[in-house]
Amino acid sequence: MVERTSKFLLIVAVSVCFMLILYQYVGPGLSLGSPSGRSYSEELDLFPTPDPHYVKKYYFPVRELERELAFDMKGEDVIVFLHIQKTGGTTFGRHLVQNVRLEVPCDCRPGQKKCTCYRPNRRETWLFSRFSTGWSCGLHADWTELTNCVPGVLDRRESANAKTPR
């Protein structure tokens, strides 16, 4: 008798939990009415009025966000990839050298973290990143360090490539 009662209580407890879960996840999608008396679409608007304490720190105009830049890989253009910690920069930097479809793909050798990314016509790099040039400007260089360092590093690399016979 005790076993039957405990099984019955277990079944009731499980079905009550199931109904609570069902109400929590399925109920808001149905028009069952809300406890506050407002419609579901009104509750979706989390911030109906602007927060007076929020100050816009950065303003990017739409025309700046939608501008298009022409990148000439066969010319003199160079992409400088600024690696920022904890933002997925390592994954994106690796994607730039390994997965992007190019006329001349980057040469990534197994066991090495650096890849050589040359332009289609000559032995000059078009990408300045941790995965193509290494830590040439120091570990986790910021914008100002890269701005001061990149032209000199590229000049040194190009002059070293010019000295080697082809």
Side-chain angles (χ1 to χ4, degrees), residues 92-140:
F92 183 72
R94 193 177 303 121
H95 170 72
L96 275 176
V97 296
Q98 292 178 352
N99 303 329
V100 177
R101 293 184 187 148
L102 302 167
E103 194 175 319
V104 177
C106 295
D107 181 26
C108 299
R109 298 176 190 228
Q112 289 185 344
K113 291 188 177 184
K114 274 186 4 178
C115 302
T116 52
C117 300
Y118 290 131
R119 297 181 189 278
N121 305 350
R122 35 186 192 206
R123 293 180 54 95
E124 293 177 1
T125 186
W126 59 270
L127 175 65
F128 190 93
S129 79
R130 156 185 168 189
F131 289 102
S132 63
T133 59
W135 296 106
S136 304
C137 294
L139 188 65
H140 297 296

